[in-house]
Amino acid sequence: MSRHYDVIVIGLGGMGSAAAHHLSARGSRVLGLEKFGPAHNRGSSHGGSRITRQSYFEDPAYVPLLLRAYELYEDLARGTGREVAMLPGGVMVGRPESRTVSGSLRSARQWGLAHEMLDAKEIRRRFPTLAPQDDEVALYEEKAGLVRPEEMVTAHLELAARQGAELRFHEPMSHWEPYRDGVRVHTADHTYTAGQLVICPGAWAPELLTDLGVAFTIERQVMYWFQPRGGVGSFTPENHPIYIWEDADGVQAYGFPAIDGPALGAKVAFFRKGEITTPDTIDRTVHAHEVRAMADHLARCVPDLPGTFLKAATCMYSNSPDEHFVIARHPAHPGSVTVACGFSGHGFKFVPVVGEILADLALTGSTAHPIGLFDPARLAAAPA
Ligand SMILES: Cc1cc2nc3c(=O)[nH]c(=O)nc-3n(C[C@H](O)[C@H](O)[C@H](O)COP(=O)(O)OP(=O)(O)OC[C@H]3O[C@@H](n4cnc5c(N)ncnc54)[C@H](O)[C@@H]3O)c2cc1C
């Protein structure tokens, strides 16, 4: 006899843990299945920090979702006592015409978000750790900052469990099929049935969502931790902002203040530029030439940071062809399956609001949140 649930959530990483929380908070009987352990480091939701910001250069359509995500950060912190977000402010740096600067300004203006434009001299005065070129400017956003991926996943899992969700770790779904009005889900040892299935596969999207018709690419990414020359004193959140920095070639890098004490220094990374890979074949070794390339970049932009290289870790982006998310009822199974994937390296800041949207879609078939941009039909219709 298989056990029956209202909703089964596949993948309890960023998006799936939030879905399990919001669904169980609304009284649904939820089963969550996860391939690895809670808040693990084999997917896309680890490494201690993720940038969050509202003046969104990618597209102004994301802004209302960010406004809601920020409210939910507070609910989550209140509900669990965990510090899931820190908002010390941030700068988007580049030439005025760069996507990072012009796109952020467009979103800020369109949505009336508080921001300041700083020229190179003012950037150096306000943030002495940063060394912009004379022709570079920044959009400063005081509400930018960071979210803590492991804390946020753990907070959502704790609330879900408290609300009665059954969360099973180290139990991957092997396959599923339509069954009566809903679905039947198989793992190595068990079979479960449910009215609704919510699939949050992260980098396993190519494996779990073959019938979605979207050409996802999985991209290897490296995070680096450096000990600043002279220690972390001038790199604390009061002194050193989160930044995204676009160079003249359009390459973006980003960094965080030192938030984990002197031993862990400050974290930096390149945005994109990674090799295409798969979750099973990803090279988890970070090579000396990669560390050197990052140290060279830092020597130009944040000259005191590449004091001592401390450590590095790999992570995966799950890119959709246009780098916008895919959040929808599954077009081939619109009555019983909801998907959230293709977060393209910028999804974590949205985790709580995506959980809310997934609960809406699974329980009512629609949502009041504006998610038109995330409809997979846009990708299926595009020429290959
Ligand atoms: C280096 C790096 C930096 C980033 N920086 C930022 C940033 O600054 N700001 C930002 O907003 N975003 C950022 N992102 C992106 C963000 O972290 C991701 O968009 C987000 O974590 C994706 O969450 P997810 O739930 O889709 O994937 P995951 O958290 O990986 O969850 C997917 C889960 O599915 C599980 N799973 C897979 N197959 C099965 C199966 N068969 N059965 C059961 N479970 C299964 C996996 O084990 C995994 O736990 C960054 C990502 C990386 C890698």
Side-chain angles (χ1 to χ4, degrees), residues 9-17 32-37 39-40 42-46 49-53 56 66 73 145 147 149 153 168 171-175 187 200-205 207-208 219-223 244 254 256 267 269-271 313-318 325 340-351:
V9 178
I10 303 301
L12 296 174
M15 307 304 164
S17 62
L33 293 176
E34 166 55 46
K35 186 179 175 81
F36 299 112
H40 65 89
R42 314 275 291 276
S44 305
S45 299
H46 58 281
S49 51
R50 293 286 186 269
I51 288 179
T52 188
R53 53 198 156 88
Y56 216 58
L66 288 162
Y73 300 160
V147 286
V153 170
R168 299 178 71 97
E171 187 177 339
M173 172 176 78
S174 56
H175 62 285
T187 68
C200 303
W204 287 262
E207 187 181 307
L208 295 187
E219 189 180 345
R220 173 181 176 274
Q221 288 292 329
V222 181
M223 304 174 271
I244 300 178
Y254 60 92
F256 297 85
K267 188 177 104 174
F270 287 111
F271 192 36
T314 55
C315 179
M316 291 176 283
Y317 286 177
S318 309
F325 308 159
C341 49
F343 288 94
S344 304
H346 61 117
F348 205 90
K349 62 182 80 61
F350 297 89
V351 153

Side-chain angles (χ1 to χ4, degrees), residues 6-20 23 30-35 172-178 182-186 194-212 216 318 325-334 336-343 354-355 357-359 361-363 374 376:
D6 296 327
V7 188
I8 298 178
V9 178
I10 303 301
L12 296 174
M15 307 304 164
S17 62
L23 285 161
V30 174
L31 170 68
L33 293 176
E34 166 55 46
K35 186 179 175 81
M173 172 176 78
S174 56
H175 62 285
W176 69 273
E177 69 245 344
V183 297
R184 186 157 59 185
V185 169
H186 303 270
Q196 294 290 321
L197 183 63
V198 175
I199 305 181
C200 303
W204 287 262
E207 187 181 307
L208 295 187
L209 293 174
T210 40
D211 54 351
L212 197 59
F216 297 105
S318 309
F325 308 159
V326 174
I327 308 176
R329 284 288 188 129
H330 194 310
H333 312 278
S336 55
V337 183
T338 303
V339 298
C341 49
F343 288 94
V354 172
I357 292 166
L358 292 174
L361 292 177
L363 299 180
F374 311 141

